[in-house]
Amino acid sequence: MAEAHQAVAFQFTVSPDGIDLHLSHQALTEIYLSGVRSWKKRVIGLKNSVVTGVYPASLSSWLFVVIAILATMYTRSDPSMGLIAKIQEHLPPVDECAVPDAWCRAVLFSTMLWLLLIFTMRMCLKQLLSYHRWMFEKHGKMSNTTKVWVALVRIFSGRKPLLYSYQGSLPNLPVPLIKDTVNRHLESVRPLMDDTEYERMTSLSEDFESGLGKRLQWYLKLKALWATNYVSDWWEEYVYLRGRSPIMVNSNYYGMDFMYVTPTPIQAARAGNSIHAYFLYRRKLNKEELKPWMLRSAVPCCSYQFERMFDTCRIPGTLTDTVQHWQDSDYIAVYHRGRYFRLRMYHAGRLLSPREIESQIQKILDDPSPPSKGEAKLGALTAGDRIPWAKARAKYFSSGVNKRSLDFIEKAAFFVTLDDDEQGGVADDPTRIDSYAKSLLHGKCYDRWFDKSFSVVYFKNGKMGLNGEHSWADAPVLSHAWQYVLTTDCFQLGYNAEGHCKGEVDSSLPGPQKLNWEIPPECEEQISGSLAVAQALADDVDVHVFSFEEFGKGKIKKCRVSPDAFIQLTLQLAHYRNQGRFCLTYEASMTRLFKEGRTETVRSCTNESCAFVRALEGGEDADVCRRLFHEASEKHQQLYRMAMTGAGIDRHLFCLYVVSKYLQVESPFLKEVLSEPWRLSTSQTPLQVEMFDLVNHPEYVSCGGGFGPVADDGYGVSYCALGEKMLSFHITCKHSCPNTDANTFGGEIRKALRDLLQLLSPEQAEPRKAAAQRPELKKDL
């Protein structure tokens, strides 16, 4: 194909007259421009490293200190208390005619003083950021100590921080006392055990705390002194990368498009705008122009997870996978109807415009060429078990044309799927949104590349969504980029009257390059085997997605209750009604107040929440139920704050278990704790409110996203507060379990939401509003 030749810099043939060399001017030009862009990125990176390295000071502050010290020379004072004179003893002779000797000494002393001030400021900021008592104070009731702390943090925080400016000032994650962790674990399992089981667990806990636990704790403290974060590297390695089962459904998650609006029905146009927006985001990321996440506009969060968002792929291995991150890739990998393409995003040193990307995508959609033998379902290797994929990769994709094509996919900025199906929610057919979610979660099991850091899916009717790999970062990081793309697509780039991207197309653009493969029959058999495993897993997943429009966090806040605590207690009530029992509940919380922090678990099923549910279901007086509800809510908030400040349970126990494995010692306590099933796994999807104007544009609200169930006999629930008046829920479970059903559980959640609002504030509870009563939002589905 002509497109394939354009990627080659030169060709040669040997003839009797010698070697005939043919250079491709266009290819060499692209190589040159790519190198220039790469060097520009390095220069920007070096500059940002310097700026970040001296933060919270600035480079201009160095000049101020130098001028101040030089000014003292003319007042015949010595602010260095003799140090400037001492410096002279260690300096080589200086030509007085060129540079005065005193100036050299003063500049050197000023620089040393400036660096000392920077070090002092960073240490002070680090100590200030280690203070977390502010989080435990009631909202609106700030103590004098916290007020002083806030003022000091703002003084030492500097101005105009870059994305990674605070990384050197964040505190390290502390190792909790083993006694505290054991006691908190016992408290968390008490409502799930009878007296005999609890007595046995107490005995195991005491033996562990007084014996093996002390030894394991010593090793863990040693690691905490040496490593940046005592949890994160082991968490990535043992929880994600060493998993040998499929990452599709079990690990990867999905994100959805706008709920009520499809900006254009043209598939290629939607891809053109959003792909362009992704590269705009990557440019901001490379320049570190994204603002660091701040809690209460004062406390910075760790940003290290952003580093591997683009140009990243998970590489399979027989024992463990690895996460590979490459330099700034200038292309994306595209899948359509069984074919894989390489699509360059830069031409003549510039990023392609949205209209040009649309044109390139349309060329792929119009390409009639069939897939190569064995190519159509190649992606199933990434959806099946990891060991067969690792062996097939080493045997069939380690050399030749297969290696080159695989490299193009793995080293791409990200992966794109052009899907021939139409997806999206329809007001009179709620099952369509369930189908949409399932498609994003696993697709056809071979039309996504599940190993890529993320894959963007574009459907035939203009809807889109994403599938994210979990090991490199947690969902809120990718969600930030996704929400940036959604808002940029609609409110900045936009479309013309016909629904196409705006702008013109350069006629000299080289077309997409189709990747070639040589798949032997043995590899095809392995692909079929992986597809069978993945298909069975996908068929077993039950998904239900719904938006709850009767009220949102606005009314919940009027009840003086945390929206997250309200929803968690709703889930406890709904699960009890659905299953007739309580279960160990996982809620994801972040620990990004610490350097390289990721997540911690909030065990939402507590003695207090169980007491409330039993009282409500037992018909107790409303005043009693309200009191128990508020006690349960306060308990949940306390647990959430403890998890965020490094005093959680599960990451500490997990690391103790890893140490025990390294030491080859068995702990009955840790073995039982780590085998406890999470039958209710929950997570809240954050909404970047500054990106969305839901007051003036309520229809431009995302559906959020979800993930697969953690336990075979349990539920996975992702939820999101969409503005002040709406809640969104994504529920997953498995058809193979006779006791779980996603739609039934969704109905229980709706009922529990209404019951709790009625309990807490009868005057606020409104009659149920059917979706049809809100036609102003039901457009462009």
Side-chain angles (χ1 to χ4, degrees):
M1 295 177 64
E3 293 84 356
H5 291 300
Q6 291 166 348
V8 181
F10 65 89
Q11 305 170 48
F12 67 91
T13 58
V14 179
S15 67
D17 299 326
I19 297 178
D20 184 17
L21 189 66
H22 301 285
L23 292 175
S24 169
H25 180 268
Q26 182 179 7
L28 289 176
T29 301
E30 288 298 325
I31 290 173
Y32 166 75
L33 293 173
S34 179
V36 170
R37 192 169 58 85
S38 179
W39 276 104
K40 283 182 179 179
K41 180 187 175 186
R42 292 180 185 180
V43 171
I44 291 172
L46 178 62
K47 173 196 167 187
N48 288 340
S49 296
V50 174
V51 173
T52 299
V54 302
Y55 197 83
S58 63
L59 294 176
S60 59
S61 64
W62 172 82
L63 185 61
F64 174 80
V65 174
V66 170
I67 293 174
I69 296 298
L70 289 175
T72 61
M73 296 171 55
Y74 296 96
T75 62
R76 298 187 179 277
S77 59
D78 184 8
S80 70
M81 294 181 291
L83 283 177
I84 293 180
K86 282 284 185 183
I87 291 174
Q88 174 62 29
E89 300 176 5
H90 302 281
L91 287 179
V94 178
D95 186 356
E96 291 286 350
C97 296
V99 181
D101 180 64
W103 283 29
C104 291
R105 287 181 284 156
V107 170
L108 185 56
F109 171 76
S110 301
T111 302
M112 294 170 59
L113 177 62
W114 180 65
L115 293 174
L116 179 62
L117 290 173
I118 290 172
F119 177 79
T120 303
M121 290 179 69
R122 292 179 78 151
M123 289 301 100
C124 290
L125 183 58
K126 190 170 186 175
Q127 290 301 314
L128 287 169
L129 295 178
S130 299
Y131 172 84
H132 297 126
R133 193 175 301 169
W134 61 272
M135 192 176 293
F136 295 87
E137 295 176 351
K138 290 187 177 181
H139 189 67
K141 295 183 179 180
M142 188 181 297
S143 66
N144 291 331
T145 302
T146 300
K147 290 178 181 177
V148 172
W149 170 79
V150 170
L152 290 173
V153 167
R154 288 176 176 168
I155 291 173
F156 284 96
S157 289
R159 298 177 59 193
K160 297 181 179 180
L162 298 175
L163 179 61
Y164 304 117
S165 291
Y166 291 109
Q167 293 302 102
S169 302
L170 293 173
N172 291 354
L173 183 68
V175 181
L177 296 175
I178 196 165
K179 180 179 180 180
D180 292 342
T181 297
V182 168
N183 289 339
R184 289 167 188 156
H185 173 263
L186 283 174
E187 182 183 4
S188 72
V189 299
R190 184 64 187 96
L192 308 175
M193 296 180 173
D194 58 31
D195 293 342
T196 303
E197 292 173 328
Y198 184 70
E199 185 177 346
R200 183 183 61 83
M201 179 56 74
T202 301
S203 178
L204 288 175
S205 302
E206 291 173 349
D207 292 343
F208 175 76
E209 180 186 341
S210 60
L212 179 61
K214 292 182 179 179
R215 183 184 173 194
L216 302 181
Q217 180 81 345
W218 185 86
Y219 281 97
L220 207 56
K221 287 184 176 180
L222 185 64
K223 184 193 177 185
L225 290 173
W226 176 255
T228 304
N229 189 296
Y230 81 92
V231 175
S232 293
D233 57 340
W234 285 352
W235 186 254
E236 179 177 309
E237 173 74 15
Y238 295 105
V239 172
Y240 293 118
L241 298 180
R242 291 216 178 189
R244 302 294 80 195
S245 60
I247 61 174
M248 182 197 77
V249 175
N250 294 326
S251 178
N252 286 30
Y253 54 91
Y254 65 88
M256 302 178 81
D257 198 359
F258 291 118
M259 186 179 300
Y260 302 116
V261 172
T262 304
T264 176
I266 302 173
Q267 184 179 20
R270 192 75 194 282
N273 262 8
S274 56
I275 291 173
H276 183 83
Y278 264 119
F279 276 86
L280 293 180
Y281 184 89
R282 190 178 74 166
R283 182 183 296 170
K284 284 179 171 288
L285 184 59
N286 290 340
K287 293 182 178 181
E288 301 181 25
E289 293 175 349
L290 298 174
K291 295 180 181 179
W293 286 6
M294 309 288 284
L295 289 183
R296 298 197 182 178
S297 303
V299 186
C301 295
C302 180
S303 301
Y304 97 102
Q305 293 185 56
F306 283 87
E307 295 175 1
R308 298 182 292 179
M309 182 179 297
F310 296 92
D311 323 301
T312 299
C313 191
R314 177 171 175 159
I315 307 300
T318 53
L319 177 62
T320 181
D321 294 351
T322 56
V323 176
Q324 290 285 335
H325 176 67
W326 289 274
Q327 293 298 320
D328 206 16
S329 177
D330 64 353
Y331 66 91
I332 59 174
V334 182
Y335 173 92
H336 178 243
R337 291 184 181 173
R339 294 93 40 86
Y340 291 87
F341 296 84
R342 180 193 188 199
L343 179 55
R344 289 187 177 274
M345 289 290 103
Y346 291 85
H347 179 67
R350 63 172 179 81
L351 177 64
L352 298 187
S353 69
R355 187 68 182 89
E356 290 172 330
I357 298 174
E358 177 188 350
S359 173
Q360 297 287 69
I361 293 293
Q362 193 61 52
K363 289 180 182 178
I364 294 176
L365 292 171
D366 295 338
D367 189 329
S369 60
S372 305
K373 187 174 182 297
E375 178 185 11
K377 299 181 180 180
L378 178 64
L381 290 171
T382 69
D385 291 323
R386 302 305 291 174
I387 294 178
W389 170 211
K391 291 180 177 179
R393 187 178 186 275
K395 187 174 181 180
Y396 305 113
F397 299 90
S398 59
S399 62
V401 64
N402 287 348
K403 184 181 188 305
R404 289 194 297 272
S405 294
L406 182 62
D407 282 348
F408 283 142
I409 293 176
E410 293 180 338
K411 296 180 181 180
F414 53 90
F415 191 81
V416 166
T417 293
L418 302 175
D419 203 309
D420 281 339
D421 294 337
E422 294 187 358
Q423 295 291 353
V426 177
D428 56 356
D429 186 8
T431 60
R432 283 287 300 275
I433 199 168
D434 297 346
S435 172
Y436 175 30
K438 272 185 69 71
S439 179
L440 292 175
L441 184 61
H442 53 68
K444 298 180 179 68
C445 302
Y446 57 81
D447 54 352
R448 320 278 188 258
W449 201 266
F450 294 100
D451 287 354
K452 283 298 290 180
S453 54
F454 66 94
S455 301
V456 189
V457 184
Y458 298 96
F459 296 100
K460 192 174 182 180
N461 59 340
K463 279 290 182 184
M464 66 178 185
L466 66 82
N467 183 284
E469 200 277 314
H470 212 322
S471 64
W472 63 274
D474 299 312
V477 175
L478 187 55
S479 175
H480 185 273
W482 179 241
Q483 293 173 36
Y484 172 90
V485 168
L486 288 176
T487 53
T488 303
D489 172 24
C490 293
F491 300 114
Q492 295 184 27
L493 300 177
Y495 301 88
N496 61 25
E498 291 77 30
H500 292 283
C501 298
K502 299 176 181 177
E504 302 297 330
V505 179
D506 186 344
S507 59
S508 66
L509 283 179
Q513 175 190 353
K514 186 178 183 297
L515 302 185
N516 298 314
W517 307 88
E518 294 176 357
I519 309 296
E522 297 84 2
C523 184
E524 288 189 73
E525 291 180 7
Q526 182 57 66
I527 293 172
S528 298
S530 295
L531 180 58
V533 171
Q535 194 63 61
L537 178 59
D539 292 343
D540 196 23
V541 177
D542 184 18
V543 180
H544 178 51
V545 180
F546 70 93
S547 58
F548 186 81
E549 302 180 20
E550 297 176 31
F551 62 86
K553 66 179 181 180
K555 283 190 176 180
I556 296 174
K557 288 178 180 178
K558 290 181 180 179
C559 299
R560 297 184 179 180
V561 177
S562 157
D564 185 68
F566 183 94
I567 294 175
Q568 283 293 326
L569 287 169
T570 296
L571 295 177
Q572 290 298 314
L573 177 59
H575 185 273
Y576 184 80
R577 288 171 171 174
N578 182 253
Q579 296 291 310
R581 61 178 180 179
F582 299 106
C583 72
L584 195 62
T585 305
Y586 183 112
E587 181 188 3
S589 168
M590 67 98 170
T591 56
R592 291 176 59 195
L593 293 174
F594 304 95
K595 193 179 299 182
E596 295 187 10
R598 289 197 61 163
T599 61
E600 178 57 275
T601 304
V602 180
R603 296 187 168 215
S604 300
C605 182
T606 62
N607 290 312
E608 290 79 1
S609 67
C610 294
F612 161 70
V613 171
R614 288 193 182 99
L616 187 65
E617 293 300 279
E620 293 284 348
D621 185 75
D623 289 337
V624 174
C625 292
R626 274 191 288 271
R627 176 179 58 80
L628 292 174
F629 176 90
H630 285 291
E631 289 177 0
S633 173
E634 285 298 319
K635 179 65 176 181
H636 178 268
Q637 285 298 96
Q638 179 74 4
L639 292 176
Y640 202 97
R641 296 180 185 115
M642 290 173 66
M644 289 183 65
T645 54
I649 300 171
D650 291 277
R651 299 301 177 269
H652 186 202
L653 293 175
F654 161 76
C655 289
L656 291 171
Y657 181 75
V658 173
V659 174
S660 74
K661 288 300 180 183
Y662 277 125
L663 298 178
Q664 297 182 346
V665 293
E666 290 293 331
S667 168
F669 169 73
L670 290 176
K671 185 176 181 180
E672 184 161 339
V673 169
L674 271 295
S675 63
E676 294 170 345
W678 300 99
R679 291 192 173 91
L680 183 55
S681 180
T682 71
S683 180
Q684 179 176 188
T685 303
L687 184 67
Q688 307 296 323
V689 292
E690 70 274 9
M691 295 187 186
F692 293 92
D693 183 5
L694 297 181
V695 176
N696 297 317
H697 301 283
E699 68 275 17
Y700 284 94
V701 60
S702 171
C703 298
F707 53 89
V710 173
D712 290 339
D713 58 346
Y715 291 104
V717 181
S718 175
Y719 56 92
C720 182
L722 306 175
E724 296 293 311
K725 300 180 180 180
M726 190 185 305
L727 304 171
S728 172
F729 291 86
H730 297 246
I731 306 165
T732 59
C733 62
K734 292 192 175 181
H735 291 296
S736 56
C737 177
N739 299 323
T740 58
D741 181 271
N743 280 274
T744 302
F745 191 49
E748 295 289 5
I749 292 174
R750 294 184 188 91
K751 185 175 184 301
L753 286 168
R754 300 185 193 105
D755 290 347
L756 290 192
L757 185 68
Q758 179 68 36
L759 172 70
L760 297 179
S761 184
E763 68 278 3
Q764 290 194 51
E766 297 178 359
R768 182 177 179 181
K769 296 182 179 180
Q773 292 178 301
R774 302 186 65 172
E776 70 279 4
L777 296 182
K778 304 300 179 182
K779 60 183 181 180
D780 298 331
L781 291 172

